[in-house]
Amino acid sequence: MPIATPEAYNEMLDRAKAGKFAYPAINVTSTQTLHAALRGFAEAESDGIVQISTGGAEFLGGQHNKDMVTGAVALAEFAHIVAAKYDVTVALHTDHCPKDKLDGYVRPLLAVSAERVARGENPLFQSHMWDGSAETLADNLAIGQELLAQAAAAKIILEVEITPTGGEEDGVTHEINDELYTTVADAVRTAEALGLGEKGRYLLAASFGNVHGVYKPGNVVLRPELLADLQAEIGKKYGKQDPFDFVFHGGSGSTEQEILTALENGVVKMNLDTDTQYAFTRPVVDHVFRNYDGVLKVDGEVGKKNTYDPRTWGKLAEAGMAHRVTEAAQQLRSAGKRMK
């Protein structure tokens, strides 16, 4: 099946919420990591989400110009072709975009999709993320209103982050402290500004102690039960059961129970990057260590071409990452639930 249409993406999210499962959202930085993500979804018989951060898009744009829009568009166009060979439905998403990069990333990509829709085509991406967590909530939501209207017009879903996620993601850093927990008051202001679907569908990255990157047990206190409070209080105020579609950021390294609690409380998307980066790199390191005198021309020798051929270690990297993606689908209960 090709990349999800806007209708298929909405159906994916509706199915996840009703079935209390979530889709792995896998950050990719190359055609190879894209194939690894698609392969992992296919082997798990799970639909999924592939996403490109600003740093990933810059890397994809090439180190000569480092153009984020070029990199994102190029990989998205590639994905539209190769995803058709995988028997799953996949949505394309752009990850964290702070205020100073909106004009160089999300806004131009929204324009690309708007032009496609005007021609009677589907949007290039199915969703974009606005990360205003470094701004005041008022400014965050004001920009969110503008972007939501543009996204809805282009048949795109917007993801918003209203309070900080700890750690570091593409140069955006937040301390690990008590501010990493979204309050009911924050959620009320979000519903007042963005609505609950009538102004356009959005995904909400609420904070419940989430931290990007790698962390040791005990350093982070996740409270996924907080999401139930947000659903209940906003649902009661607006007469709508479970009004939010939540996103779980900083998913790498989370415990099984933390993930299950989040799923029960409305999480439909969980981001994975750190774990899949390691899963991709680890087999390459193993290959180099085992074939040191083959991948290098040691002491005047010529090495072994079949060991330093990028296809040799690249296949191992793809398999390692694909396995971690499949594992994520199983943890998130999306495995075996692909749309027919």
Side-chain angles (χ1 to χ4, degrees), residues 5 28 57 59 69 123 150 158 168 212 224 228 312:
T5 63
V28 298
F59 181 76
V69 173
Q150 294 174 7
L158 186 70
E168 188 272 335
H212 291 126
T312 300

Side-chain angles (χ1 to χ4, degrees), residues 112-135:
V112 168
S113 286
E115 291 173 3
R116 288 169 62 100
V117 170
R119 295 195 301 265
E121 303 171 12
N122 287 319
L124 185 60
F125 283 86
Q126 286 65 59
S127 53
H128 292 296
M129 182 185 178
W130 150 234
D131 182 356
S133 59
E135 313 302 321

Side-chain angles (χ1 to χ4, degrees), residues 40-57:
F41 294 145
E43 292 179 354
E45 296 186 355
S46 168
D47 301 318
I49 300 169
V50 168
Q51 57 190 28
I52 308 171
S53 67
T54 54

